[in-house]
Amino acid sequence: MSSSKMRHCLELSSWIPDQYLFFFTQIQKTKQSGFQSLKKEFTDQCVGLIFQEPSTRTRVSYQKAIDHIGATSYIVENNSSLAKGETLADTIKTLQSMGIHHFIVRTSTDEIFEIAKCYQKGFLINAGSGTKHHPTQGLLDAFTIWENFGKLEGLQIVLLGDLMHSRVARSNLAWMKAFGIKPTVCGPASWVNDFEPEHVIIEDDMTKAIENADVVMLHRIQKERFREEEDFQQEEYFQKYCMTIEKLTQTKKDAIVMHPGPINRGIELSTDVADHEKSKILQQVENGLWTRICLLQTLLRAGSL
Ligand code: NCD
């Protein structure tokens, strides 16, 4: 990834394998060097974090990343004027008037793409928009897999669970497409049938889906996004699609299990799976921080060229 080319980070569809690999190398080097080697080089920069939806790992990792590089973060959540009807665009203009020009935004809509069309003053990062895009989760997941296997090409990947409402699944599909990976999607029919068959293999039987998998990516049941008529039978879901220790033992020796979090123990996965050595959930969280440090450095350096 050439830093001079990058202005915003909204989605991954335009990224090519070389960009990913360049970025992974940068994350790996930064992670190996550790926090003490990070320079507070951006003390004159302010970043607004506008989070209209709940978040723990994404928001805190951005805040911590901003601290490590010496910039200052300002947080606007739902207890702000957004709750009084102010639009995202007006909130951004308001913060800009105070000298905050870079924004990291989480929203339930794709409004950020419209705003980005004419946004020149700083960078915009999409920290999760609606059900389609969560680019840094896609990057950190891809990096975590690359870190575990030393490659992405040729891996057998299974996406399991509530994929219909998942922006994480769609961002992961973007890099899989770039690397020529056709993953298996598995879950209740209404949650997987919308995926284009040229890009995924649909498998209803979880046992078959996971038997040859290198990576099993679990996804949270996002009840807050369900339509009123949507019918979810938790017990039936658990029986068919929950990753239990019995199912985990059927996976390959080196297979890994991932989940973007927040996890619901006893729904998407059992407690013993969450804490199992094959689970890379906390490694994903750790890598989220390093991914965001490198992304912020890249965007801020590009802006100062
Ligand atoms: C995800 C999100 O918000 O899209 N979480 C995250 O950012 N790590 C997934 C989810 O909410 O289930």
Side-chain angles (χ1 to χ4, degrees):
M1 176 174 49
S2 150
S3 61
S4 58
K5 277 196 205 149
M6 215 171 157
R7 167 158 284 280
H8 305 305
C9 179
L10 301 181
E11 51 150 342
L12 295 177
S13 65
S14 64
W15 282 54
I16 57 168
D18 278 355
Q19 278 177 295
Y20 286 104
L21 297 173
F22 182 85
F23 195 50
F24 296 163
T25 313
Q26 199 179 328
I27 302 170
Q28 190 179 46
K29 271 194 216 148
T30 311
K31 184 176 174 181
Q32 280 166 359
S33 307
F35 293 125
Q36 66 288 349
S37 70
L38 290 168
K39 293 199 181 66
K40 301 231 178 242
E41 60 183 301
F42 300 110
T43 48
D44 55 341
Q45 301 289 339
C46 299
V47 185
L49 282 90
I50 305 177
F51 273 65
Q52 287 183 298
E53 287 186 357
S55 174
T56 300
R57 65 223 84 220
T58 306
R59 200 204 57 200
V60 176
S61 63
Y62 272 119
Q63 272 180 279
K64 192 162 189 289
I66 291 165
D67 278 351
H68 280 297
I69 60 172
T72 309
S73 58
Y74 297 88
I75 299 174
V76 172
E77 291 179 310
N78 270 345
N79 58 356
S80 65
S81 295
L82 288 163
K84 298 180 179 172
E86 186 166 79
T87 63
L88 175 62
D90 282 332
T91 299
I92 289 180
K93 282 184 198 157
T94 302
L95 298 178
Q96 271 192 295
S97 306
M98 303 178 201
I100 302 169
H101 297 302
H102 306 296
F103 294 96
I104 298 169
V105 179
R106 168 166 289 195
T107 53
S108 55
T109 67
D110 280 327
E111 224 178 324
I112 185 80
F113 287 86
E114 271 312 301
I115 296 171
K117 280 184 189 161
C118 51
Y119 195 79
Q120 303 285 346
K121 286 207 156 170
F123 66 68
L124 297 175
I125 296 178
N126 184 351
S129 63
T131 58
K132 296 204 187 77
H133 304 284
H134 193 349
T136 52
Q137 185 70 42
L139 287 171
L140 75 91
D141 285 349
F143 173 72
T144 303
I145 297 172
W146 182 81
E147 196 178 38
N148 276 279
F149 292 93
K151 62 171 189 176
L152 294 177
E153 290 95 343
L155 294 176
Q156 302 271 348
I157 301 182
V158 178
L159 305 179
L160 193 82
D162 180 0
L163 307 180
M164 183 166 93
H165 303 100
S166 179
R167 53 195 176 207
V168 174
R170 286 182 182 79
S171 289
N172 278 320
L173 281 169
W175 65 256
M176 289 179 203
K177 207 164 141 193
F179 281 90
I181 296 170
K182 193 171 179 174
T184 299
V185 294
C186 179
S190 61
W191 289 352
V192 296
N193 282 349
D194 275 357
F195 290 91
E196 293 166 19
E198 74 219 70
H199 299 308
V200 299
I201 300 159
I202 298 175
E203 174 57 72
D204 175 56
D205 183 339
M206 182 173 164
T207 312
K208 278 194 200 149
I210 63 170
E211 67 187 352
N212 290 314
D214 298 299
V215 182
V216 181
M217 303 177 95
L218 308 176
H219 297 80
R220 184 174 65 86
I221 310 304
Q222 299 184 43
K223 287 191 184 152
E224 75 278 14
R225 296 192 198 282
F226 284 12
R227 293 181 309 271
E228 231 167 68
E229 68 278 13
E230 236 164 298
D231 177 34
F232 174 66
Q233 302 297 332
Q234 192 160 308
E235 189 45 41
E236 192 184 324
Y237 183 87
F238 183 86
Q239 294 301 335
K240 286 188 80 175
Y241 304 110
C242 178
M243 180 58 98
T244 57
I245 200 76
E246 293 73 30
K247 290 192 187 122
L248 192 70
T249 53
Q250 291 161 25
T251 59
K252 293 201 299 201
K253 186 171 147 285
D254 296 328
I256 63 170
V257 174
M258 299 171 68
H259 190 309
I263 59 171
N264 287 301
R265 291 172 189 252
I267 302 181
E268 299 106 41
L269 73 176
S270 59
T271 274
D272 39 13
V273 170
D275 303 325
H276 195 274
E277 59 176 14
K278 285 185 169 188
S279 159
K280 302 299 166 191
I281 297 170
L282 294 178
Q283 190 182 339
Q284 287 171 269
V285 177
E286 184 189 358
N287 286 340
L289 176 60
W290 295 108
T291 301
R292 289 172 180 127
I293 288 171
C294 289
L295 180 67
L296 289 166
Q297 287 173 327
T298 302
L299 292 173
L300 286 166
R301 286 175 190 153
S304 63
L305 285 177

